[in-house]
Amino acid sequence: VQLQASGGGLVQAGGSLRLSCAASGGTFSNYASAWARQAPGKEREFVASIKWSGTSTYYADFVKGRFTISRDNANNMMYLQMNNLKPEDTAVYYCAADRTLRTDTHYDYWGQGTLVTVSS
C-alpha cells in the first residue's frame, strides 16, 4: 500500500491543522494505520493509531485531548485533527500502515512526511 500525507503548514500556537493521508495500491481497510512525527534532531515518535475498522484508537500521552485520529475506508483516507497546537508539536508528520495495530513506529508502510510548524 502506498501512502501520501498532506495538510502540513505554519500555524500559531493554539491553532489547528488537519492532516490527511491518502492510501492507494491496496485495500486500505485491511490495515491498521497511524501517525508518527519526527522533530529536528530527534527520533521518530508514535503519535496516534487506529484500528482498520476505526473502532479503536490510541494516542501518545503528549497529544491526548488535543489530537484526533480518524479514517474513511470508503475513500482510502486517514486524518489527524490537531487542535491547541504547541511549538513543541513542530515536526515532520508521517502516516503509516501495517496489518497489525501498533503503538510504536515499527509500521511496514510509510508515506512521505508533511511539515507542521507551530510558532509561539
Side-chain angles (χ1 to χ4, degrees):
V1 63
Q2 291 80 48
L3 305 169
Q4 183 162 354
S6 62
L10 174 63
V11 63
Q12 289 188 331
S16 298
L17 277 177
R18 187 194 195 203
L19 304 183
S20 299
C21 178
S24 62
T27 303
F28 187 50
S29 58
N30 285 345
Y31 298 89
S33 54
W35 291 95
R37 70 186 187 186
Q38 187 165 17
K42 295 187 177 181
E43 293 188 352
R44 192 173 298 188
E45 60 182 357
F46 169 81
V47 173
S49 60
I50 186 167
K51 189 176 179 179
W52 67 270
S53 60
T55 55
S56 294
T57 57
Y58 299 90
Y59 297 92
D61 287 344
F62 53 78
V63 301
K64 283 182 180 177
R66 299 189 298 125
F67 291 10
T68 302
I69 188 171
S70 61
R71 62 190 292 162
D72 176 358
N73 287 338
N75 291 299
N76 295 328
M77 296 293 295
M78 179 179 65
Y79 305 98
L80 186 68
Q81 177 67 43
M82 305 186 295
N83 298 328
N84 190 22
L85 283 160
K86 305 176 181 180
E88 52 264 42
D89 294 319
T90 294
V92 177
Y93 284 72
Y94 298 89
C95 56
D98 197 292
R99 292 191 180 272
T100 301
L101 179 61
R102 317 182 70 94
T103 57
D104 56 29
T105 57
H106 299 151
Y107 277 72
D108 285 341
Y109 304 97
W110 291 90
Q112 95 297 350
T114 186
L115 178 62
V116 172
T117 303
V118 185
S119 62
S120 57

